[in-house]
Amino acid sequence: MSRRKSADILWRIFRFVILFGLSFVILYPLIYMISCTFRERSDMNDPTVMWIPRNYTLSVLRETIQAMDLWNTLRTTALLNLGCACFQVISCAVTGYGFARFSFHGKKLLFGIVILMILVPTQVISLPLFFRFRFFGIKGLFTVNLIDNMLTMYLPAMTANGIRSGLMILIFRQFFRGLPKELEDAAYIDGCGPLMTFLRVMIPNAMASFLTVFLFSVVWYWNDYYVSTMFFQNTRTVATMLYNLDSELKLRLFGDATIQISPREQIVWKQAGCLVSIAPLLVMYIFLQKYFTEGIERSGIVG
Amino acid sequence: MNEKNKQRIRLSYSRRKELYGYGFIGLWLVGTIVFFLIPLGRSLWYSFNKVIIQPGGLAMKWQGLQNYSDALFKDPEFTRDLRDMLIETAWKTPLILIFSLFIAVLLNDKFHGRTLARAIFFLPVIIATGPVFGIISGDLQTSGNSEASQFSTMFSTDLVGELMQFLGIYGISEEMTAYISAVADNVFSIVWSSGIPILLFLAALQNIPLAAKEAAMIEGASGWDFFWKITLPYVSPFVLANLIFTVIDSFTSPTNTAMRRILTLQSRDVNYGLASAMAWIYFGVVLAALGIVVFAVKRIIFYEND
């Protein structure tokens, strides 16, 4: 018995060391970000400063916010994000339900397209998509230029073709397939049509997985810079701003695009930029953590 | 969806359900034709043509397989990038899977601070898909300032040095330090790409029926036996899901070199035909890799219901 006990204690120590060490690997960049944000840039050249700044300052943070035009950028990003995430969750849920509970001709083929959506890298279709939005409309009748218009993000999201939509359709399909059929049968007998059944019976049951998918959708749209740089030139999201932080900094802060700042000193602004761009996500994560980590078990991605 | 009610045609129940099915997926179908299938076909078409930009649209000049042979034989970087990426995915994917299964087993235990530990390990899920991760890992060259990114890379490799110093084992022997640093540099990228795999494995672990656990306990199985004879078979279906996820994730990540090459071709050199051809070669490679992986793994999976 005592051998078992000592093995148990050993296991605990082992587990603690492993988890602690790896948590360090994950948290290190975040701690570094915070540490850099609140130090003066001259501290970067001071070899004794590693974690704890010698000179505290808020000016780096202020300058970064100014260079990224943070409040406007945040508003644009939030508008895009929340809008797209809402549209996407709804459209993917409807589509997923269609695939889960109805049988129709060509279902296998159509579902194959959903799988194809997961597999094809966005980069393959991004160029034709660009021209689609550049000359949007029906040939010969009318065309409009949708580049720099938020519709370039909204329209695909509305029709379940946004960022990682294939994956979301798959998640919803698996989830709805896991719900008992009796639920719907009861609703049918009570005189609900399929649409009413979906709205009144299935959606309330799926609330938790709706939230999980919604959160992931927000995260993926927030982090996207590939699609946004493709379709937006003057509409700036947090991700594209961060991507161009270097030149923005020089332009807005020093009014000179050719100014030379030591790359080591630039790190402070970069890290500050990172910090402000993930701060909203982090706050969301802290409050809704359990929906990220537990929701997915119920959301049906399993099995 | 409603027109059949108006027309008052009696349809059989199954026929009606079929129509409702089309109704539910109709919106997606329209969207997918407009925003996915047609662009997909177009990009295939571009890849066989020389694409010339004109005011008001694009003009094509048929070239046959010229773009493909240019991509494969003339471009000095593309094949090398492709090979590097394949090699990297090949050795990293198994490591990610083993690592995330291991962590999932640890996080499935009951202990104090488990919620905190889980929260930390899933943190990469919200960060690792964005440009922030590019800066953290020093992968992203922002606006061509390569010196700056060198510095941020330096800080990510030195991470282990930090940890070793922290634990007081830094500099015991030169070789050991170098070796641990090399391993750890990869630990960084592995840990950071394991968020969703850990999540999936954890879900799988929680699906192991209680009866199996009890039976193993009564039979006196050790933790070791339990892992190999109970945990692993039950988790095996998720290995496939995770494998596919990890492979796709690494192939579609915009930070990988082959992808970046295609992007510069599009935006800087404006050579759309060649860029499309490369994208299609790339996609073909991805599909082939996935096919091999799925084929290999499918045989060793245990399905409870079969």
Side-chain angles (χ1 to χ4, degrees), chain A residues 176-219:
Chain A
F176 284 123
R177 268 166 57 134
L179 288 182
K181 259 214 139 85
E182 287 78 12
L183 270 175
E184 284 153 305
D185 292 340
Y188 285 145
I189 288 167
D190 288 344
C192 270
L195 192 63
M196 268 322 203
T197 313
F198 178 67
L199 292 176
R200 306 268 282 280
V201 181
M202 300 316 260
I203 289 185
N205 271 302
M207 261 354 234
S209 73
F210 264 71
L211 192 59
T212 305
V213 174
F214 177 77
L215 290 176
F216 274 102
S217 185
V218 168
V219 168

Side-chain angles (χ1 to χ4, degrees), chain B residues 250-266:
Chain B
S250 89
F251 277 139
T252 52
S253 132
T255 49
N256 86 42
T257 46
M259 219 70 258
R260 221 183 290 152
R261 174 93 187 97
I262 297 174
L263 280 186
T264 37
L265 262 184
Q266 274 179 12

Side-chain angles (χ1 to χ4, degrees), chain B:
Chain B
M1 243 171 359
N2 284 324
E3 63 222 49
K4 65 185 179 309
N5 286 338
K6 284 181 207 142
Q7 289 168 358
R8 303 228 166 254
I9 300 171
R10 303 281 308 166
L11 295 164
S12 73
Y13 179 66
S14 64
R15 180 95 187 104
R16 231 167 47 203
K17 275 207 97 169
E18 195 175 326
L19 279 179
Y20 271 113
Y22 286 125
F24 271 102
I25 65 156
L27 193 62
W28 164 80
L29 192 59
V30 172
T32 236
I33 290 171
V34 176
F35 298 118
F36 180 70
L37 289 179
I38 293 180
L40 195 65
R42 284 243 173 98
S43 105
L44 189 61
W45 176 242
Y46 289 172
S47 72
F48 293 113
N49 283 283
K50 189 173 174 59
V51 182
I52 304 146
I53 304 164
Q54 289 177 337
L58 297 172
M60 305 286 161
K61 209 172 123 211
W62 180 258
Q63 269 195 325
L65 290 172
Q66 179 73 43
N67 285 326
Y68 285 88
S69 70
D70 278 359
L72 287 177
F73 304 117
K74 271 204 189 144
D75 191 288
E77 289 161 44
F78 183 64
T79 40
R80 198 191 57 211
D81 288 347
L82 213 56
R83 197 192 57 215
D84 290 351
M85 187 202 68
L86 272 178
I87 292 172
E88 194 182 312
T89 311
W91 65 261
K92 239 178 212 174
T93 309
L95 281 182
I96 289 175
L97 287 187
I98 293 167
F99 172 77
S100 45
L101 180 59
F102 173 65
I103 294 297
V105 169
L106 287 189
L107 289 179
N108 198 36
D109 280 358
K110 278 199 167 49
F111 59 90
H112 286 294
R114 180 171 76 160
T115 321
L116 180 69
R118 283 190 182 184
I120 291 173
F121 276 89
F122 299 143
L123 203 57
V125 173
I126 64 164
I127 299 175
T129 51
V132 169
F133 181 64
I135 293 180
I136 289 173
S137 60
D139 251 355
L140 199 75
Q141 291 188 349
T142 36
S143 314
N145 197 333
S146 59
E147 250 184 308
S149 70
Q150 223 173 32
F151 270 105
S152 34
T153 319
M154 196 181 80
F155 113 72
S156 84
T157 34
D158 206 36
L159 179 114
V160 196
E162 287 298 304
L163 184 62
M164 285 191 288
Q165 250 168 3
F166 189 83
L167 298 173
I169 53 168
Y170 190 78
I172 291 177
S173 98
E174 198 101 326
E175 277 165 39
M176 194 185 88
T177 312
Y179 178 72
I180 295 181
S181 295
V183 171
D185 191 25
N186 290 312
V187 164
F188 183 80
S189 76
I190 288 169
V191 171
W192 275 81
S193 19
S194 298
I196 289 198
I198 293 175
L199 213 66
L200 288 175
F201 275 135
L202 204 56
L205 288 174
Q206 279 160 4
N207 274 5
I208 296 177
L210 214 61
K213 284 181 198 166
E214 280 172 355
M217 239 158 67
I218 290 166
E219 299 284 338
S222 65
W224 185 247
D225 287 334
F226 188 81
F227 177 79
W228 288 103
K229 296 194 172 128
I230 308 283
T231 309
L232 212 53
Y234 271 108
V235 165
S236 62
F238 292 85
V239 174
L240 185 65
N242 258 334
L243 204 62
I244 295 174
F245 180 84
T246 313
V247 170
I248 292 180
D249 209 44
S250 89
F251 277 139
T252 52
S253 132
T255 49
N256 86 42
T257 46
M259 219 70 258
R260 221 183 290 152
R261 174 93 187 97
I262 297 174
L263 280 186
T264 37
L265 262 184
Q266 274 179 12
S267 53
R268 204 190 60 209
D269 306 344
V270 212
N271 193 341
Y272 295 155
L274 185 56
S276 301
M278 280 185 185
W280 275 93
I281 293 172
Y282 185 78
F283 180 51
V285 170
V286 173
L287 272 192
L290 268 180
I292 293 169
V293 161
V294 171
F295 181 77
V297 172
K298 259 214 153 132
R299 316 151 146 243
I300 51 170
I301 289 182
F302 158 82
Y303 285 106
E304 199 190 6
N305 298 328
D306 282 3

Side-chain angles (χ1 to χ4, degrees), chain A residues 15 105 132 223 285 293 297, chain B residues 18 22 34 109 119 122 129:
Chain A
R15 187 174 62 203
H105 287 293
R132 157 126 289 156
N223 283 337
Y285 182 70
T293 56
E297 290 149 27
Chain B
E18 195 175 326
Y22 286 125
V34 176
D109 280 358
F122 299 143
T129 51

